[in-house]
Amino acid sequence: MARDRSAGPAASAGPRPRTRRRRLLDAVTARALKMPPGRADYTLTENVAVPMRDGAVLLASVYQPVTSSRGTILIRTPYGRTTPIALLTAGYLATHGFQVVNQSCRGTFGSGGTWSPFVREVDDGADTVAWLRRQPWFGGRFALCGASYLGYTAWAVMVDPPPELACAVVAISAHDNFRVMYPGGAFALEGTLTLLDGLDHLEDGFVRGLARFPTAARRLRRAYQELPLVRAQDTVLAGNSMPYTRWLHATTADDPVWRDQRLLAALERVDVPVLLHEGWQDRFVDQTLDQYARLRARGVEVALTIGPWNHVQVATKAAPVTMRETLDWLAVHLAGDADRVGVSERSAPVRIFVTGAEQWRELSDWPPPARARSFYLQPGGGLAEQEPDQAAEPSRFTFDPADPTPAVGGRVINPSIAGRRDNRELERRSDVLVFTTSVLTEPLEIVGSPVAEIVHTSDNPYADLFVRVCEVRPNGTSLNLADGFCRLPVENPDPTVRLPLDAVAHRLAAGSRLRLQVSGGAHPRYARNLGTGDDPATATDLVPSRRTVHHGAGGASRIILPCHSPGHDVTPEVTPQG
């Protein structure tokens, strides 16, 4: 049962000067993360009551500059108001002269109501803005800032953008939770279990909470393997109040469960400048690129930065880049410092880090112009730009749900398993087809979204397809660059599966090789296809599928890469930061 805090919150003690300990923490945080130091002083009012329409009272901490304010920033968070996350966000921005309202979401850290992730954030955000405009210290304009769940609450406010909203900064965040929980049509088992395991223990303390992520794979392993999937609620999630079973049964985007968790309206309505931050190895790259594209198409001022980071690193390793850009964005669009020229001043709306080249690039748009190069899958495991002979024999493998093809690395939140990993052990499995080029004689730079066209048949219509592009280093290490996954349609299946892969910006060095993997899944990142068509939540029967990937008369399979001649199709390099 979810936690209910209807008893009511503690009363505010009024504004207090910043303590010596707080000054030290503010300074150490900025120095440790190499962020521009803030020199403004502030007072802090804790436990400020913010009433909601249903009678619940949420708590906020209000940071007010001792001298004049440069504008108000609203942050809505489930992660507490006195944790290191609050220090890094609300506290840090306050040291730069901004007035910050840092509010605990419903049912968390003293706020009233029931903690039920994602479902009340639109209404609670609107009620918070209504409260904000009634405050005598409010200057009439505010900005939204947030990463991850805090970014989601920012999009929730933008579903019905208030007239006082001046701009927003959103990082590593989704706007559509159905796409998060059912990527490619399959339940995101590992990611969902890890998320809900963490969200049910928010108040365990920061150190214990931080420790849950690296150990999640070990603690939740039983749930990854056992069937039916719904059993996890009574085993590894016993006593957990989060909506695992509701999400597991809500398999379509139009299910009422997702009604309040799909914030697509925000992308159609917001018209203020928005700055987006992402990492190439984060789970939400696809949604961030969608946010950029939709806003850009409507003529909204939008900027995008994607660096060589995973989800957690955006708040740590990326801070020198992201916080400089955030301060510049707020200075221009909230504080009105139109003449400000900051260290992160950009000459183009898109800034990306090209891994392999280890360089920042500035682009006029995403995706940039590219030359499509096709590499065809060859019989015997080759990969080449020449089409195979029409008589070429196909490649075959069998996917067995009793021993599902495992996931290795990739765009997941858990930093202990995320990112680019050595795939050699995975590639030795008989249920993974591997196709590799000869040694590259010159660099190969991929910037954009590769597309796989796999001519594929299965003796069982209930099947998934997972495709991965890797770079094989001279020492044999095979590092994943981009993935694509889909649950194949049962009705009228097309043998040619056109599968977009993750967007990527990477340069393969001369002397390396390009590799393509084809398999039937990546478990538990995507819940395995049981091969029966039964309800995935309650089914236990397992049926293998025998697959054929065609090269010749049945059709030619290929990977289409958006390629660049370094320095020709993109704007000049900019100085690396961070």
Side-chain angles (χ1 to χ4, degrees), residues 36-76:
R39 311 198 185 283
D41 199 6
Y42 60 82
T43 63
L44 178 59
T45 306
E46 308 227 41
N47 298 325
V48 177
V50 183
M52 301 290 106
R53 67 189 67 182
D54 65 343
V57 176
L58 309 191
L59 296 184
S61 296
V62 178
Y63 300 72
Q64 292 180 295
V66 171
T67 56
S68 60
S69 169
R70 300 178 65 207
T72 301
I73 298 172
L74 174 61
I75 300 172
R76 303 194 61 252

Coordinates of all heavy atoms in Angstrom, one line a residue, residues 36-76:
P36 N 31.2 26.7 -12.2 CA 31.4 28.1 -11.9 C 31.0 28.4 -10.5 O 29.8 28.1 -10.1 CB 30.6 28.8 -12.9 CG 30.4 27.9 -14.0 CD 30.4 26.5 -13.4
P37 N 31.9 28.9 -9.6 CA 31.5 29.2 -8.2 C 30.4 30.3 -8.1 O 30.5 31.3 -8.9 CB 32.8 29.6 -7.5 CG 33.6 30.1 -8.7 CD 33.3 29.3 -9.9
G38 N 29.5 30.2 -7.2 CA 28.5 31.2 -7.0 C 28.9 32.0 -5.8 O 29.4 31.5 -4.8
R39 N 28.7 33.3 -5.9 CA 29.1 34.2 -4.8 C 28.0 35.0 -4.1 O 28.2 35.8 -3.3 CB 30.1 35.2 -5.4 CG 31.2 34.5 -6.2 CD 32.4 35.4 -6.4 NE 33.4 34.8 -7.3 CZ 34.2 33.8 -6.9 NH1 34.2 33.3 -5.7 NH2 35.1 33.3 -7.8
A40 N 26.7 34.7 -4.5 CA 25.6 35.3 -3.9 C 25.2 34.7 -2.6 O 25.3 33.4 -2.5 CB 24.4 35.3 -4.9
D41 N 24.8 35.5 -1.7 CA 24.3 34.9 -0.4 C 22.8 34.8 -0.4 O 22.1 35.5 -1.2 CB 24.7 35.8 0.8 CG 24.7 35.1 2.1 OD1 24.4 33.9 2.1 OD2 24.9 35.8 3.1
Y42 N 22.2 33.9 0.4 CA 20.8 33.7 0.4 C 20.3 33.3 1.8 O 21.1 32.9 2.7 CB 20.4 32.7 -0.6 CG 21.0 31.3 -0.3 CD1 20.5 30.4 0.6 CD2 22.1 30.9 -1.0 CE1 21.0 29.2 0.8 CE2 22.7 29.6 -0.8 CZ 22.1 28.8 0.1 OH 22.7 27.6 0.3
T43 N 19.0 33.5 2.0 CA 18.3 32.9 3.2 C 17.5 31.7 2.7 O 17.2 31.6 1.6 CB 17.4 33.9 3.8 OG1 16.3 34.3 2.9 CG2 18.1 35.2 4.2
L44 N 17.2 30.8 3.7 CA 16.5 29.6 3.4 C 15.4 29.4 4.3 O 15.5 29.5 5.5 CB 17.5 28.4 3.5 CG 16.9 27.0 3.3 CD1 16.3 26.9 1.9 CD2 18.0 26.0 3.6
T45 N 14.2 29.3 3.7 CA 12.9 29.0 4.5 C 12.5 27.6 4.2 O 12.2 27.3 3.0 CB 11.8 30.0 4.1 OG1 12.3 31.4 4.2 CG2 10.6 29.8 5.0
E46 N 12.5 26.8 5.2 CA 12.1 25.4 5.1 C 10.7 25.1 5.4 O 10.0 25.9 6.1 CB 13.0 24.5 5.9 CG 14.5 24.9 5.7 CD 15.4 23.6 5.5 OE1 14.9 22.7 4.8 OE2 16.5 23.6 6.1
N47 N 10.1 24.0 4.9 CA 8.8 23.5 5.3 C 7.7 24.6 4.9 O 6.8 24.8 5.7 CB 8.7 23.2 6.7 CG 9.6 22.0 7.1 OD1 9.8 21.1 6.3 ND2 10.2 22.0 8.3
V48 N 7.9 25.2 3.8 CA 6.8 26.2 3.3 C 5.7 25.4 2.8 O 5.8 24.5 1.9 CB 7.4 27.1 2.2 CG1 6.3 28.0 1.7 CG2 8.6 27.9 2.8
A49 N 4.5 25.6 3.3 CA 3.3 24.9 2.9 C 2.7 25.4 1.6 O 2.4 26.6 1.4 CB 2.2 24.9 4.0
V50 N 2.5 24.4 0.6 CA 1.9 24.7 -0.7 C 0.6 23.9 -0.8 O 0.7 22.7 -1.0 CB 2.9 24.5 -1.8 CG1 2.3 24.9 -3.1 CG2 4.2 25.2 -1.6
P51 N -0.6 24.5 -0.8 CA -1.8 23.7 -0.8 C -2.2 23.2 -2.2 O -2.0 24.0 -3.2 CB -2.9 24.7 -0.3 CG -2.3 26.0 -0.7 CD -0.8 25.9 -0.6
M52 N -2.7 22.0 -2.3 CA -3.1 21.4 -3.6 C -4.7 21.5 -3.6 O -5.3 21.6 -2.6 CB -2.6 20.0 -3.8 CG -1.1 19.9 -3.7 SD -0.3 20.6 -5.2 CE 0.4 22.1 -4.5
R53 N -5.2 21.3 -4.8 CA -6.7 21.4 -5.0 C -7.5 20.3 -4.2 O -8.6 20.5 -3.9 CB -7.0 21.3 -6.5 CG -6.7 19.9 -7.1 CD -6.9 19.9 -8.6 NE -5.8 20.7 -9.2 CZ -5.8 21.0 -10.6 NH1 -6.6 20.4 -11.4 NH2 -4.8 21.7 -11.1
D54 N -6.8 19.2 -3.9 CA -7.5 18.1 -3.2 C -7.3 18.2 -1.7 O -7.8 17.3 -1.0 CB -7.1 16.8 -3.7 CG -5.6 16.4 -3.4 OD1 -4.9 17.4 -3.1 OD2 -5.3 15.3 -3.4
G55 N -6.7 19.3 -1.2 CA -6.5 19.4 0.2 C -5.1 19.0 0.7 O -4.7 19.3 1.9
A56 N -4.4 18.2 -0.1 CA -3.0 17.9 0.3 C -2.1 19.1 0.4 O -2.3 20.1 -0.4 CB -2.4 16.9 -0.7
V57 N -1.2 19.1 1.3 CA -0.2 20.2 1.4 C 1.2 19.7 1.2 O 1.7 18.8 1.8 CB -0.3 20.8 2.8 CG1 0.7 21.9 3.0 CG2 -1.7 21.4 3.1
L58 N 1.8 20.2 0.1 CA 3.2 19.8 -0.2 C 4.1 20.8 0.4 O 3.8 22.0 0.6 CB 3.4 19.8 -1.7 CG 2.3 19.0 -2.5 CD1 2.8 18.8 -3.9 CD2 2.1 17.6 -1.9
L59 N 5.3 20.4 0.7 CA 6.4 21.2 1.4 C 7.4 21.7 0.4 O 7.8 20.9 -0.5 CB 7.0 20.4 2.5 CG 6.2 20.0 3.7 CD1 7.0 19.4 4.8 CD2 5.4 21.2 4.3
A60 N 7.9 22.9 0.6 CA 8.9 23.4 -0.3 C 10.0 24.1 0.6 O 9.7 24.6 1.7 CB 8.3 24.4 -1.3
S61 N 11.2 24.2 0.1 CA 12.2 25.1 0.6 C 12.4 26.3 -0.3 O 12.5 26.1 -1.5 CB 13.5 24.3 0.8 OG 13.4 23.2 1.7
V62 N 12.4 27.5 0.2 CA 12.5 28.7 -0.6 C 13.8 29.4 -0.3 O 14.1 29.7 0.8 CB 11.3 29.6 -0.3 CG1 11.5 30.9 -1.1 CG2 10.0 28.9 -0.6
Y63 N 14.6 29.5 -1.3 CA 15.9 30.2 -1.3 C 15.7 31.6 -1.8 O 15.3 31.8 -2.9 CB 17.0 29.5 -2.1 CG 17.3 28.1 -1.8 CD1 16.3 27.0 -2.0 CD2 18.5 27.7 -1.2 CE1 16.6 25.7 -1.7 CE2 18.8 26.4 -0.9 CZ 17.9 25.4 -1.1 OH 18.2 24.1 -0.8
Q64 N 16.0 32.6 -1.0 CA 15.9 34.0 -1.4 C 17.2 34.7 -1.3 O 17.9 34.7 -0.2 CB 14.8 34.7 -0.6 CG 13.4 34.1 -0.8 CD 12.4 34.8 0.1 OE1 12.4 34.7 1.3 NE2 11.5 35.5 -0.6
P65 N 17.7 35.4 -2.4 CA 18.9 36.1 -2.3 C 18.9 37.2 -1.3 O 17.8 37.9 -1.2 CB 19.1 36.6 -3.8 CG 17.7 36.5 -4.4 CD 17.0 35.5 -3.7
V66 N 20.0 37.5 -0.7 CA 20.1 38.6 0.3 C 19.9 39.9 -0.5 O 19.3 40.9 0.0 CB 21.4 38.5 1.1 CG1 21.6 39.7 1.9 CG2 21.4 37.2 1.9
T67 N 20.5 40.0 -1.6 CA 20.4 41.2 -2.5 C 19.3 41.0 -3.5 O 18.4 40.1 -3.3 CB 21.7 41.6 -3.1 OG1 22.1 40.4 -3.9 CG2 22.8 41.9 -2.1
S68 N 19.3 41.7 -4.6 CA 18.2 41.6 -5.6 C 18.2 40.2 -6.2 O 19.3 39.6 -6.5 CB 18.3 42.7 -6.6 OG 19.5 42.6 -7.3
S69 N 17.0 39.7 -6.6 CA 16.9 38.4 -7.2 C 17.1 38.5 -8.8 O 16.7 39.5 -9.4 CB 15.5 37.8 -6.9 OG 15.3 36.7 -7.7
R70 N 17.7 37.5 -9.4 CA 17.8 37.5 -10.8 C 16.7 36.7 -11.4 O 16.7 36.5 -12.7 CB 19.1 36.8 -11.2 CG 20.4 37.5 -10.6 CD 21.6 36.8 -11.0 NE 21.9 36.8 -12.4 CZ 22.6 35.9 -13.0 NH1 23.0 34.8 -12.4 NH2 22.7 35.9 -14.3
G71 N 15.7 36.3 -10.6 CA 14.5 35.6 -11.2 C 14.3 34.3 -10.3 O 15.1 33.9 -9.6
T72 N 13.1 33.8 -10.5 CA 12.6 32.6 -9.7 C 12.8 31.4 -10.5 O 12.4 31.3 -11.7 CB 11.2 32.8 -9.3 OG1 11.0 34.0 -8.5 CG2 10.7 31.6 -8.5
I73 N 13.2 30.3 -9.9 CA 13.3 29.0 -10.5 C 12.5 28.0 -9.7 O 12.6 28.0 -8.4 CB 14.8 28.5 -10.5 CG1 15.7 29.5 -11.4 CG2 14.9 27.1 -11.1 CD1 17.1 29.2 -11.3
L74 N 11.7 27.2 -10.4 CA 10.9 26.2 -9.7 C 11.4 24.8 -10.0 O 11.7 24.5 -11.2 CB 9.4 26.3 -10.2 CG 8.5 25.2 -9.7 CD1 8.4 25.2 -8.2 CD2 7.1 25.3 -10.3
I75 N 11.7 24.1 -8.9 CA 12.2 22.7 -9.0 C 11.2 21.8 -8.2 O 10.9 22.1 -7.1 CB 13.6 22.5 -8.5 CG1 14.6 23.4 -9.3 CG2 14.0 21.1 -8.5 CD1 16.0 23.5 -8.7
R76 N 10.7 20.7 -8.8 CA 9.8 19.8 -8.1 C 10.5 18.4 -8.1 O 10.8 17.9 -9.2 CB 8.4 19.7 -8.8 CG 7.8 21.1 -8.9 CD 6.3 21.0 -9.2 NE 5.6 20.3 -8.2 CZ 5.1 19.0 -8.3 NH1 5.2 18.4 -9.5 NH2 4.5 18.4 -7.3

